[in-house]
Amino acid sequence: MDLKLIGKIALVTGSTAGIGFAIAKSLASEGAHVYVNGRTQERVNAAMAAIRSNAAGAKVDGIAADFSGPAGAEAVMRHFLQWMCW
């Protein structure tokens, strides 16, 4: 299936396991640049490695942030604002 996601960016929160991981993996295999999110850097790194091993050449980055409070959301927004200003 071609969802025409090449060149698109996707942030998938809660994507180190379960449905979020499956969504991130599918988006990456369709060509999107996927940002994986989880509460710890260790889990984010593991999810990124698993996605890369499933989809050769996948563009995957990760952001460890806990969205149970505003600090996690603010950290992710700062990351993307810095990235977009390049």
Side-chain angles (χ1 to χ4, degrees), residues 7-71:
K8 305 293 183 184
I9 299 169
L11 167 64
V12 184
T13 60
S15 54
T16 59
I19 294 170
F21 177 75
I23 292 168
K25 187 168 75 169
S26 294
L27 293 173
S29 69
E30 286 291 325
H33 185 158
V34 176
Y35 282 85
V36 174
N37 164 255
R39 291 182 180 170
T40 68
Q41 192 62 50
E42 181 181 358
R43 291 190 63 160
V44 168
N45 291 344
M48 289 189 305
I51 291 170
R52 287 184 182 125
S53 71
N54 181 68
K59 294 179 182 175
V60 183
D61 285 302
I63 303 168
D66 183 350
F67 283 98
S68 64

Side-chain angles (χ1 to χ4, degrees), residues 63-82:
I63 303 168
D66 183 350
F67 283 98
S68 64
E74 290 169 3
V76 170
M77 290 305 300
R78 277 193 305 275
H79 174 82
F80 279 102
L81 288 174
Q82 290 173 354

